Amino acid sequence: MGLFDHSLSDLHELLQKKELTSLDLVEESYKRIGEVEEKVQAFLTLDEENARQKAKELDAKGPGTILSGMPIGIKDNIVTKGLKTTCASKILENFDPIYNATVMDKLSHAGAITIGKLNMDEFAMGSSNENSHYQVTRNPWDLERVPGGSSGGSAASVAAGEVLFSLGSDTGGSIRQPASYCGVVGMKPTYGRVSRFGLVAFASSLDQIGPITRNVKDNAHLLGAICGLDPMDSTSANVEVPDFTAGLTGDVKGMRIGVPKEYMGEGIGEGVKNSIKAALEVFEKQGAIIEEVSLPHSKYALAAYYLLSSSEASANLARFDGIRYGYRTENAADLIDLYKKTRAEGFGDEVKRRIMLGTFALSSGYYDAYYKKAQKVRTLIKKDFDDVFEKYDLIVGPTAPTPAFKIGEIIDDPLTMYANDILTIPVNLAGVPALSVPCGFENGLPLGLQIIGRHFNENAIYRAAYAFEQATDYHKHRPAL
């Protein structure tokens, strides 16, 4: 049993008893990276010197918070002072930030130790981690398969035991889908729950930072450490941060759970449907009330999402022009040529595709027909969730329609690739929280159960996920790397 097979609470107890040191945990992390990183390729940058130095300082200081001394991996679109942040793009290949994202300051205050920066789809655009400029991260359960995306490095590093937990970002399912593919726990918090200051923007009205862990309780601890009001982020919500671990009783008796018929219909694999039905039976045995519900506008979510997110991306990525920071072309004739060549050479194909789609949707004559209509559809999707949550505590369904697919299998088919997010995208459009928890296997590959809650009611999600986890052992399985 490796150190990272223990829960956060167990490791914290060992640290307090001085049976373990923070340095031991950091060394365990780098030892494991040395053993498996060549196969998994989850990390883009390691921060060994600083990590060891911080561990020694924490050991000298003595016991701290529950996160103190714990090794964490950070997705490479979260800004880290003095540690390269590339967004897995050529255009930021040498970007060395001079400030920290708010979540990094919070983690530092809690005593967590950054092990390194994790691979992702370039600028978080993708569902497979194949869009990184640098390398393709592989799924620890099957090295020929994708880990999911865009937070594929974040999920794979936790599944492979390289770090205890990680941070990812979720714009349309980018935490939950890789968590499902890699058999770990991933939470997309309510929009506004976690500060976006220092998260390199893809689509500002959809992006959220969230935790990826091996079990539900660790996830609740990590979320508690990173959320709260931030004056640096105008979309940060002024709501109380509860103790997310307080409701982890294992009891869901009387909870009303809605299962959307749209989430169990056409396009969802039989193995996935069967594992979700088995999961619902677990909840029923525990005393939860399960009923079928409808989210009728879900079928429009994919189209609305790609119009809105691409429109926001085209505006957000306009700042990468080769003038202030990042990559700059060496053979420009004039200023306009500098812009064109820098962006042509610096961005990958998927990023260019979305910038072009977004610029088109926002252009004169098309704005009303596409962007404005997509915003109206978004409102209808949010209303669908509001209507269901008037009667139900939670909505439950699959996280992804299938288990992880093979690397290279659909990279040249953008529409099929986009459809992989069909079950996660409505959650981002509505701004509600959702979590993926392991719920089964198909041909040895993990499957995820998605639990969706009301705005700012992450507690109810954790309560149900913990009860399910206690009644099953899917989270205890490890890939044979």
Side-chain angles (χ1 to χ4, degrees), residues 257-270:
I257 295 175
V259 183
K261 60 184 181 186
E262 293 83 4
Y263 282 29
M264 296 291 276
E266 196 185 342
I268 312 302
E270 281 308 308

Side-chain angles (χ1 to χ4, degrees), residues 165-444:
F165 36 52
S166 67
L167 287 189
S169 68
D170 193 311
T171 306
S174 288
I175 287 173
R176 290 158 290 151
Q177 184 247 30
S180 172
Y181 283 2
C182 291
V184 291
V185 179
M187 165 66 93
K188 195 262 338 161
T190 308
Y191 184 80
R193 172 69 92 181
V194 179
S195 170
R196 290 186 304 106
F197 179 73
L199 173 67
V200 179
F202 160 16
S204 308
S205 75
L206 299 159
D207 301 339
Q208 266 296 275
I209 295 170
I212 296 177
T213 59
R214 281 190 164 183
N215 64 61
V216 171
K217 193 170 188 178
D218 287 5
N219 204 283
H221 277 301
L222 188 50
L223 180 62
I226 61 171
C227 52
L229 179 66
D230 179 17
M232 302 296 283
D233 173 13
S234 62
T235 61
S236 167
N238 188 10
V239 290
E240 186 193 350
V241 180
D243 177 359
F244 294 115
T245 61
L248 305 185
T249 58
D251 173 32
V252 290
K253 196 170 184 194
M255 274 189 117
R256 296 179 64 83
I257 295 175
V259 183
K261 60 184 181 186
E262 293 83 4
Y263 282 29
M264 296 291 276
E266 196 185 342
I268 312 302
E270 281 308 308
V272 172
K273 282 183 190 172
N274 292 336
S275 76
I276 300 304
K277 285 171 186 168
L280 294 171
E281 284 173 19
V282 171
F283 283 130
E284 258 184 328
K285 279 181 192 160
Q286 293 174 321
I289 299 151
I290 311 285
E291 289 174 1
E292 186 179 81
V293 297
S294 179
L295 298 169
H297 296 96
S298 291
K299 59 187 172 187
Y300 306 116
L302 211 58
Y305 169 83
Y306 278 100
L307 279 166
L308 296 173
S309 65
S310 298
S311 297
E312 292 185 27
S314 82
N316 279 326
L317 270 61
R319 70 192 69 169
F320 302 104
D321 54 10
I323 302 294
R324 287 156 292 188
Y325 48 78
Y327 172 80
R328 179 188 294 192
T329 188
E330 290 182 357
N331 53 351
D334 53 37
L335 185 62
I336 300 302
D337 199 38
L338 174 75
Y339 291 153
K340 285 180 179 176
K341 283 184 176 166
T342 294
R343 291 167 69 81
E345 294 164 18
F347 289 136
D349 288 348
E350 183 59 33
V351 174
K352 288 175 186 171
R353 185 183 287 125
R354 298 202 198 192
I355 289 172
M356 288 165 74
L357 171 63
T359 306
F360 173 78
L362 292 174
S363 60
S364 177
Y366 297 101
Y367 179 89
D368 284 356
Y370 293 108
Y371 181 78
K372 194 173 175 183
K373 194 168 281 183
Q375 287 287 25
K376 289 178 177 177
V377 170
R378 180 180 189 171
T379 303
L380 293 172
I381 289 167
K382 181 186 175 295
K383 188 175 183 306
D384 285 349
F385 280 99
D386 292 344
D387 290 347
V388 171
F389 284 132
E390 279 183 16
K391 296 179 191 166
Y392 297 89
D393 300 303
L394 297 168
I395 294 169
V396 164
T399 306
T402 62
F405 48 89
K406 287 197 168 174
I407 291 168
E409 194 175 351
I410 56 174
I411 188 66
D412 296 322
D413 184 355
L415 293 180
T416 303
M417 187 74 86
Y418 295 169
N420 274 287
D421 298 330
I422 199 158
L423 300 167
T424 52
I425 277 170
V427 166
N428 296 77
L429 290 170
V432 292
L435 174 136
S436 179
V437 64
C439 72
F441 293 89
E442 184 179 331
N443 301 323

